Amino acid sequence: MNMTDQKINFSDERKSRKEKLAGAFRLFSLFGFDEGNAGHITVKDPEYDDCFWVNPYNMHFSRIKVSDLILVNHDGEVVEGNRAVNKAGFTIHSQLHKARPDVVAAAHAHSVYGKAWSTLGRLLDPINQEACAFYQDHSLYDAYTGVVHDLQEGERIGKALGNHKAVILQNHGLLTVGGSIEETVWWFVNMERSCQVQILAESVGKPVLIEEEHAKHTAAQVGTPEEAKRCFQPLWERIVHQQPDFLD
């Protein structure tokens, strides 16, 4: 492969990642994960490992287009774009990408049920098929010290995440990661819904847990990157059909 072909591939992959990222923000807004200026989704640039694409600070998710995305390096410098960066978003995501080189994308938002569940300081239980995607594959960061502006706090969150696909930030909310933007977005949507279901179930009784053997088996079925990408596809088709302007 010559250098021209490589550059074309980088360009194509960058375009694809940015389109999926902009679409992810529209989906988060559609699902109500867009409180104030809180929340951020990042995706690594395919060519420059020390840079990631992220949403501009204080821009509502429902308005974000591909052309609005900004490129930031691990020092917090804006490499491409003309808007400010969410400091908390940079602090968390820069450390996550450093701690987990396999992570291509990461998502965090102050979704209602994720925030509510996070106050309990508990992991999700395997009470239904969808929740099994996180069985033995999510963790708890059991501290809250305020808005995350300290890089050391970002490092601690990265350590708490470990090798899992998600971490519950106590008294804060949810954070998911993946080897693609598709995986990351689906894990977040699924985790928020799983928090909602468990809160509803526990409000009327004590849920029956799926037995460990079956929970592990189900996790191997619904908790894979391939399954996450399949589940993301209908969401992608929906947002492209309903709000195609985000591709600009």
Side-chain angles (χ1 to χ4, degrees):
M1 178 184 294
N2 59 44
M3 291 301 293
T4 301
D5 290 336
Q6 189 177 32
K7 288 181 180 178
I8 291 174
N9 287 341
F10 281 139
S11 178
D12 290 346
E13 179 61 22
R14 181 177 295 113
K15 180 176 182 291
S16 176
R17 291 187 185 187
K18 290 175 69 178
E19 288 178 346
K20 293 289 178 14
L21 181 59
F25 287 115
R26 295 298 184 95
L27 285 168
F28 269 35
S29 181
L30 190 65
F31 296 147
F33 311 155
D34 56 358
E35 183 172 300
N37 56 29
H40 17 83
I41 312 174
T42 58
V43 63
K44 282 204 307 190
D45 185 85
E47 185 174 6
Y48 305 107
D49 286 340
D50 63 339
C51 295
F52 53 86
W53 295 92
V54 66
N55 49 306
Y57 179 58
N58 228 26
M59 186 174 191
H60 198 271
F61 288 1
S62 66
R63 294 181 52 231
I64 292 177
K65 300 180 180 182
V66 170
S67 55
D68 295 313
L69 299 173
I70 55 178
L71 184 65
V72 182
N73 65 23
H74 284 182
D75 294 322
E77 300 168 336
V78 175
V79 178
E80 186 175 326
N82 55 11
R83 295 189 61 145
V85 181
N86 184 317
K87 187 174 182 180
F90 163 74
T91 301
I92 295 173
H93 289 255
S94 64
Q95 301 310 304
L96 284 179
H97 286 294
K98 284 182 179 179
R100 289 278 301 275
D102 62 307
V103 166
V104 170
H108 168 65
H110 292 184
S111 52
V112 173
Y113 293 98
K115 284 194 298 182
W117 181 259
S118 75
T119 65
L120 304 179
R122 293 169 53 193
L123 295 178
L124 288 165
D125 292 322
I127 61 173
N128 56 51
Q129 178 174 299
E130 288 74 24
C132 284
F134 304 101
Y135 186 65
Q136 297 183 339
D137 199 12
H138 71 298
S139 55
L140 174 69
Y141 178 62
D142 60 354
Y144 180 79
T145 59
V147 180
V148 184
H149 286 169
D150 185 345
L151 287 176
Q152 291 184 337
E153 183 78 352
E155 290 177 7
R156 289 191 287 270
I157 290 173
K159 288 180 180 178
L161 172 66
N163 293 320
H164 298 133
K165 63 164 65 85
V167 57
I168 297 170
L169 308 177
Q170 187 171 291
N171 304 107
H172 190 169
L174 311 177
L175 188 148
T176 61
V177 300
S180 67
I181 189 71
E182 295 94 327
E183 296 165 51
T184 301
V185 170
W186 174 248
W187 296 142
F188 193 96
V189 171
N190 188 13
M191 196 173 207
E192 169 70 4
R193 295 293 187 256
S194 295
C195 290
Q196 180 179 5
V197 168
Q198 188 155 354
I199 288 171
L200 290 172
E202 291 190 358
S203 72
V204 295
K206 185 177 180 180
V208 176
L209 273 59
I210 296 172
E211 295 179 4
E212 180 178 8
E213 176 188 357
H214 302 306
K216 287 182 177 180
H217 176 67
T218 306
Q221 295 175 312
V222 302
T224 66
E226 294 75 21
E227 180 62 14
K229 290 177 181 178
R230 283 191 287 268
C231 290
F232 174 83
Q233 187 60 32
L235 302 182
W236 173 251
E237 292 174 359
R238 176 184 181 182
I239 204 65
V240 169
H241 175 73
Q242 290 182 349
Q243 302 179 32
D245 64 295
F246 78 83
L247 294 167
D248 295 341

